[in-house]
Amino acid sequence: MGGFMEDLRKCKIIFMIGGPGSGKGTQCEKLVEKYGFTHLSTGELLRKELASESERSKLIRDIMERGDLVPSGIVLELLKEAMVASLGDTRGFLIDGYPREVKQGEEFGRRIGDPHLVICMDCSADTMTNRLLQRSQSSPPADDTTKTIAKRLEAYYRASIPVIAYYETKTQLHKINAEGTPEDVFLQLCTAIDSIF
Ligand code: AP5
Ligand code: MG
């Protein structure tokens, strides 16, 4: 644990929050290429855990199928394990889809540390819905219908307002206009990230 904290001090930690379809995954891929960060998406970590059929996976399967939030202790455990696995070999962590509730941010701050930057991908519900519908047409399994998308969006808005308010006073919060082309959005992100290096 001592070694973990020491190595961690040399790394930048960036949180990227934003609704489903706001482009978090798309942009993180581009940022990894430019800055050499390690990209950790809590959604991806949870899907990997499900596929492993572990004891933990039994606890989270139903919750994820409903589109609800997985208990924060499990998410933080998975995140920390993934961070330990790539520590010493990275310039920083780009943590996508986290925190989804204030409690997650508080726990991360206590157990690991506060992030250097929090990015919020601002995108209208219409744009996010259209992108997800388009994706579900082109890449089966098509689990995103108008109804399930509306549910995910509602859950996002409900949870994100207090999270944004929490970081507004605590650390650097950058709101990014995520409506534009992937290139437009990427340029804004680079400006925000360059400001912390
Ligand atoms: P997660 O996997 O995080 O899903 P999500 O955030 O709901 O949505 P996506 O990953 O689909 O969207 P994205 O913003 O990454 O967009 P993308 O770049 O893919 O979470 C899944 C589930 O896991 C949750 O519902 C929850 O149950 C659980 N979970 C996850 N984290 C948790 C946590 N911290 N605590 C508890 N539970 C948790 O882009 C989408 C589409 O749009 C693509 O087709 C892309 O090509 C297109 N696109 C992207 N950008 C643009 C652009 N600028 N212009 C045009 N098209 C674009
Ligand atoms: Mg994603």
Side-chain angles (χ1 to χ4, degrees), residues 64-134:
M64 284 188 73
E65 276 167 11
R66 287 197 306 269
D68 288 335
L69 290 183
V70 171
S72 60
I74 296 181
V75 182
L76 187 57
E77 243 175 61
L78 289 172
L79 205 47
K80 194 166 165 213
E81 284 166 15
M83 289 175 83
V84 169
S86 44
L87 207 62
D89 200 28
T90 187
R91 287 191 69 204
F93 292 98
L94 199 49
I95 303 181
D96 149 4
Y98 188 91
R100 268 181 161 79
E101 46 184 356
V102 172
K103 189 172 145 203
Q104 292 187 354
E106 288 171 343
E107 261 175 27
F108 190 98
R110 259 197 320 273
R111 304 237 336 246
I112 297 177
D114 281 320
H116 300 87
L117 177 68
V118 178
I119 291 168
C120 175
M121 300 282 278
D122 248 340
C123 202
S124 69
D126 277 351
T127 302
M128 292 192 270
T129 305
N130 289 336
R131 287 180 187 166
L132 295 178
L133 284 175
Q134 217 164 348

Side-chain angles (χ1 to χ4, degrees), residues 127-186:
T127 302
M128 292 192 270
T129 305
N130 289 336
R131 287 180 187 166
L132 295 178
L133 284 175
Q134 217 164 348
R135 177 173 68 186
S136 73
Q137 275 161 16
S138 57
S139 61
D143 55 348
D144 273 338
T145 61
T146 312
K147 202 170 150 207
T148 57
I149 292 170
K151 202 183 159 221
R152 284 166 70 198
L153 282 175
E154 193 203 302
Y156 168 72
Y157 284 120
R158 198 174 343 113
S160 68
I161 293 166
V163 171
I164 292 165
Y166 177 69
Y167 286 113
E168 223 143 34
T169 53
K170 205 175 163 61
T171 185
Q172 283 205 66
L173 177 85
H174 273 259
K175 288 191 182 164
I176 299 288
N177 177 351
E179 292 280 333
T181 64
E183 293 70 29
D184 283 341
V185 178
F186 184 61

